[in-house]
Amino acid sequence: MSTALIESFKATAGKTITCKAAVAWEAKKPLDITDIQIAPPKAGEVRVKVISNALCHTDIYTLDGHDPEGLFPCVLGHEAAAVVESIGEGVTSVVPGDVVIPCYTPECKKHECIFCQSPKTNLCPTIRSTQGQGFMPDGTSRLSKDGKPIYHFMGCSTFAEYAVIAEISAAKINPGADLNKMCLLGCGVATGWGAVFNNTKVPPGSTVAVFGLGALGLSVIQAAKVSGARYIVGVDINDSKFPTAVEMGATECVNSMTCEDGDVKKWLLGKEKWGYDYTYDCTGNVNVMRCALEVAHRGWGESCVIGVAAAGKEISTRPFQLVTGRNWKGTAFGGWKSRTEVPKLVQTVMRGEMALEPYITHTFQGLEHVNKSIDALHSGTCLRAVVQIGESGLVPQTLPKLKGNVRVEGGWMKQLSHWSQSCQCEMTFSVFLPDPQARTAPLPPVLYFLSGLTCSDENARTKAHFAQEAGRVGLAVVFPDTSPRGANIAGEDDSWDFGTAAGFYVNATTPNWSKNYRMYDYVTKELPELVAGLFPVDPSKMSITGHSMGGHGAMICHLKNPGKYTSVSAFAPICNPTAVPWGEKAFTGYLGSVEAGKEYDATELVKKYKGPSPPILIDQGTADGFLNSQLKPENFAAAAASVNYPCQVRMQPLYDHSYYFISTFMRDHVDHHARALGLRPKL
């Protein structure tokens, strides 16, 4: 974020801000772009600078006078991304400069809140009564025009340059996210995804019918496809929406007005005799809601109401529909617990697992064009119109490419590539992400596994047998590559123990190698920052391990960064590289001399180490062909003992240097780290 913006926030903190807002003075009238006053936040509140706002049908529904809770005058808008300008007394979860998505469904996270503590719902009622009255939690408004109060809308009111929201409505997200896209996660798209993932939990092989193919319906289709639904039907009265629905994952679409005999229920049941496992109303039309229920599968079908009906409307069906096993349910904000789960949705999008681009059909620069965005939404050709209201001073992060996403041992193995600033080339890494043990469970800690000579990120993740135990304890595991690749350096592929796949986890200083071969910075700084931003993990709890060259890397990363890693272990590490041929070759080539390599030699580093001293677990096979010539664990053990550093070297009879050896003792190493990281009781 720019220094100028931070200074401007300091200048306005504690003061009333006069800014532009789109005020709805009354129903069915264009919004008035005018100056209003935004008071400073009170206790438990946050004032934000609005960056972008997507227009949602709920805004129009209220402006058109259909909302029974609609209050005027008000500032509409609730699907936004913003930057925190100032905070009120007692606010601890965000600070000025943080990027947030304002959420109309808050999450207080208090232990005594049975709604926040329950995995069944997201409907925290802490500020519901005052929010519904158009006020902040203390029963007053922070918005006014020349002294006349203006109502808040859905606790957000983001059709303005600034807004005040409750702290418990502010979902803090990755500051590298593209805010002109992520604003969509404040309501509609997130709601559709959550209806599938949270409220109905669609399993693979299901049949799905979606009524209404606006942004909401398309997001249901997108999520159902990701969930593995085998047959998805989109229903609408506008044929022009069908191609997009098919692109998003629909198997086929039907026009409910022009289908055979104009009887869409008959058409749908002609395709699936007993009905559809899951149906969704995304229209807000109570007649469509009934139809969606009645085409749900006899015996077990679930129909989810997502669309908001007009004031005074009621739903009805014959009780027999429910007696014969159909379930009728609804969703608010897709069941997402806003402050806990919206940041994870942002990360999912940033990793390339869910796309937002197809929804943004119209973009407008400046709040003065908000009425044009309303016209666009009314046109029938618009899914989401994004109004870019302000500048954040933040540069969106260059996102990685998702190369693989495979289910394994109660988690997901993800492989990504990205441009590395440290190595000045495209780098690939893999991450095992365990399933959370509960929706509000603490984020998992991270174990970094550094691989050995000739390896890539793929060797350990496929051969080390780590996943079952890591999934069981809830431990994320990151596998970096072992060097830059394709750097076009003369000699990089000439030998197996130097250059490609042999980066030795140093920052090279010799001319040919210094630009790209900065693996030490990559694994200790750049990659952990990237992982923390893109994955739901706890960056404050980090451990490290590795094999051979990677064992050397794990030990020096710890010894050169006291306190950074909670625990350390190694499999057959190169313990004293300045005294062995592998190290001599690497240090001479990358650093110019063996002497310079002492700054990357665990045996040398432990002698002068000062800081927290977590025990280092080392496993070494006695039949390892490199034991005496390249590894020398006895040298490190002696050096550690000389300064009373705790180290356990376990000599494993008849085991060699291979992944058979690593996989045999991997469970012990995961347990070693799990206990240090608080995932299991310490022994």
Side-chain angles (χ1 to χ4, degrees):
M1 182 167 296
S2 69
T3 303
L5 190 59
I6 292 294
E7 291 302 316
S8 73
F9 288 169
K10 291 179 181 178
T12 54
K15 301 176 183 178
T16 295
I17 294 176
T18 296
C19 68
K20 296 292 184 186
V23 180
W25 295 108
E26 56 183 301
K28 304 183 190 306
K29 293 292 179 67
L31 300 179
D32 178 22
I33 314 304
T34 186
D35 286 339
I36 70 169
Q37 287 71 52
I38 314 287
K42 293 186 178 181
E45 297 174 2
V46 177
R47 187 162 64 185
V48 298
K49 175 182 170 67
V50 180
I51 306 304
S52 58
N53 196 111
L55 189 64
C56 177
H57 280 280
T58 306
D59 299 308
I60 309 307
Y61 166 82
T62 301
L63 183 61
D64 288 345
H66 300 310
D67 186 352
E69 292 188 351
L71 299 168
F72 298 93
C74 71
V75 175
L76 298 170
H78 66 286
E79 196 169 295
V83 177
V84 175
E85 176 265 346
S86 60
I87 59 176
E89 180 183 351
V91 172
T92 58
S93 62
V94 294
V95 298
D98 281 345
V99 177
V100 299
I101 290 180
C103 296
Y104 70 89
T105 302
E107 183 188 6
C108 73
K109 296 187 177 183
K110 293 180 180 178
H111 180 73
E112 60 269 24
C113 179
I114 60 173
F115 296 89
C116 284
Q117 294 305 313
S118 172
K120 299 177 182 178
T121 186
N122 63 332
L123 297 178
C124 173
T126 301
I127 60 174
R128 179 67 185 92
S129 60
T130 52
Q131 181 171 307
Q133 298 169 29
F135 295 130
M136 294 302 292
D138 71 344
T140 64
S141 176
R142 303 293 164 268
L143 313 178
S144 63
K145 169 72 172 176
D146 300 330
K148 179 182 178 180
I150 297 173
Y151 289 113
H152 293 259
F153 177 68
M154 296 179 71
C156 296
S157 289
T158 50
F159 279 175
E161 293 176 324
Y162 287 85
V164 177
I165 62 176
E167 177 188 15
I168 63 174
S169 300
K172 180 180 174 182
I173 68 169
N174 186 327
D178 186 340
L179 305 189
N180 293 322
K181 296 177 183 175
M182 297 305 169
C183 59
L184 271 64
L185 298 179
C187 184
V189 174
T191 299
W193 291 352
V196 174
F197 296 144
N198 299 325
N199 300 110
T200 56
K201 299 180 174 62
V202 173
S206 301
T207 55
V208 171
V210 181
F211 294 77
L213 300 180
L216 185 57
L218 292 177
S219 63
V220 171
I221 289 172
Q222 184 184 25
K225 182 69 173 178
V226 169
S227 294
R230 70 168 174 84
Y231 180 56
I232 304 170
V233 180
V235 183
D236 204 284
I237 60 174
N238 185 346
D239 290 8
S240 67
K241 296 181 178 181
F242 294 171
T244 303
V246 172
E247 289 174 9
M248 298 294 275
T251 311
E252 61 180 315
C253 298
V254 59
N255 188 312
S256 57
M257 296 182 70
T258 63
C259 63
E260 186 177 356
D261 299 327
D263 187 346
V264 73
K265 186 190 300 187
K266 177 182 177 182
W267 188 95
L268 288 167
L269 294 177
K271 295 286 185 176
E272 292 288 330
K273 177 181 178 181
W274 297 109
Y276 295 75
D277 299 319
Y278 301 93
T279 67
Y280 303 85
D281 167 69
C282 304
T283 69
N285 183 306
V286 295
N287 296 315
V288 176
M289 294 175 191
R290 177 171 185 165
C291 180
L293 173 76
E294 294 178 358
V295 298
H297 203 291
R298 178 185 176 93
W300 62 73
E302 294 186 19
S303 187
C304 186
V305 175
I306 313 175
V308 180
K313 294 292 185 179
E314 296 182 351
I315 56 175
S316 64
T317 191
R318 292 184 301 132
F320 184 74
Q321 296 291 339
L322 303 181
V323 169
T324 50
R326 297 169 186 84
N327 295 282
W328 219 347
K329 59 174 55 178
T331 183
F333 194 44
W336 298 113
K337 292 181 180 291
S338 55
R339 292 200 291 161
T340 297
E341 295 179 316
V342 168
K344 297 178 183 179
L345 287 181
V346 170
Q347 292 175 321
T348 299
V349 174
M350 294 181 73
R351 292 196 302 269
E353 295 175 29
M354 299 291 279
L356 290 174
E357 291 84 356
Y359 299 99
I360 303 173
T361 55
H362 294 71
T363 301
F364 297 90
Q365 187 67 48
L367 186 62
E368 64 272 18
H369 297 301
V370 67
N371 285 307
K372 291 183 179 179
S373 71
I374 294 173
D375 293 339
L377 201 62
H378 277 141
S379 71
T381 62
C382 176
L383 294 176
R384 273 297 184 268
V386 174
V387 182
Q388 298 172 1
I389 296 174
E391 294 295 331
S392 67
L394 295 165
V395 178
Q397 180 179 341
T398 301
L399 298 181
K401 302 179 185 69
L402 183 67
K403 299 176 69 175
N405 193 18
V406 180
R407 189 78 168 137
V408 58
E409 296 289 1
W412 292 90
M413 177 58 72
K414 303 174 187 289
Q415 186 182 50
L416 302 95
S417 67
H418 71 109
W419 177 262
S420 166
Q421 291 297 323
S422 299
C423 298
Q424 289 296 296
C425 67
E426 195 77 7
M427 295 289 288
T428 297
F429 67 98
S430 293
V431 178
F432 171 74
L433 192 64
D435 289 346
Q437 297 178 353
R439 289 183 66 181
T440 56
L443 297 176
V446 187
L447 174 64
Y448 284 80
F449 187 102
L450 307 186
S451 292
L453 293 165
T454 75
C455 292
S456 69
D457 64 301
E458 296 191 11
N459 296 72
R461 71 173 197 159
T462 55
K463 298 178 181 179
H465 293 191
F466 75 94
Q468 186 175 74
E469 194 71 6
R472 182 178 291 124
V473 301
L475 179 63
V477 187
V478 177
F479 302 90
D481 203 346
T482 53
S483 78
R485 294 178 187 267
N488 296 318
I489 301 172
E492 65 181 350
D493 296 322
D494 288 355
S495 60
W496 62 271
D497 57 355
F498 184 80
T500 300
F504 243 80
Y505 303 104
V506 303
N507 284 341
T509 57
T510 52
N512 286 352
W513 305 93
S514 60
K515 176 183 175 182
N516 303 104
Y517 276 64
R518 303 189 62 81
M519 289 298 295
Y520 173 75
D521 278 357
Y522 180 70
V523 298
T524 60
K525 298 176 183 177
E526 183 179 4
L527 186 57
E529 290 176 4
L530 184 67
V531 168
L534 293 179
F535 295 88
V537 298
D538 185 349
S540 69
K541 293 184 176 181
M542 188 163 59
S543 295
I544 194 164
T545 187
H547 170 233
S548 191
M549 178 184 72
H552 141 78
M555 292 163 67
I556 66 163
C557 286
H558 158 60
L559 294 169
K560 289 171 73 67
N561 296 275
K564 186 178 184 74
Y565 300 97
T566 303
S567 53
V568 192
S569 72
F571 298 88
I574 305 171
C575 290
N576 193 185
T578 56
V580 301
W582 280 342
E584 291 171 0
K585 182 175 183 178
F587 293 153
T588 301
Y590 294 136
L591 305 174
S593 69
V594 174
E595 182 67 22
K598 289 183 177 180
E599 289 303 309
Y600 295 96
D601 186 319
T603 298
E604 298 295 331
L605 291 171
V606 75
K607 297 174 186 176
K608 55 184 181 180
Y609 178 81
K610 304 292 182 184
S613 301
I616 298 177
L617 171 64
I618 297 175
D619 271 313
Q620 173 63 61
T622 61
D624 189 326
F626 302 113
L627 173 59
N628 296 321
S629 60
Q630 303 282 12
L631 307 180
K632 299 195 178 295
E634 68 279 5
N635 290 9
F636 179 79
S642 72
V643 293
N644 295 316
Y645 191 101
C647 172
Q648 181 184 17
V649 179
R650 306 193 309 185
M651 300 302 295
Q652 303 294 356
L654 304 180
Y655 282 91
D656 62 10
H657 197 70
S658 71
Y659 273 92
Y660 294 116
F661 155 65
I662 297 171
S663 63
T664 300
F665 300 102
M666 177 56 76
R667 181 173 295 180
D668 290 354
H669 284 246
V670 171
D671 182 73
H672 170 78
H673 295 291
R675 295 185 188 281
L677 291 163
L679 298 175
R680 282 177 172 163
K682 292 186 178 180
L683 295 174

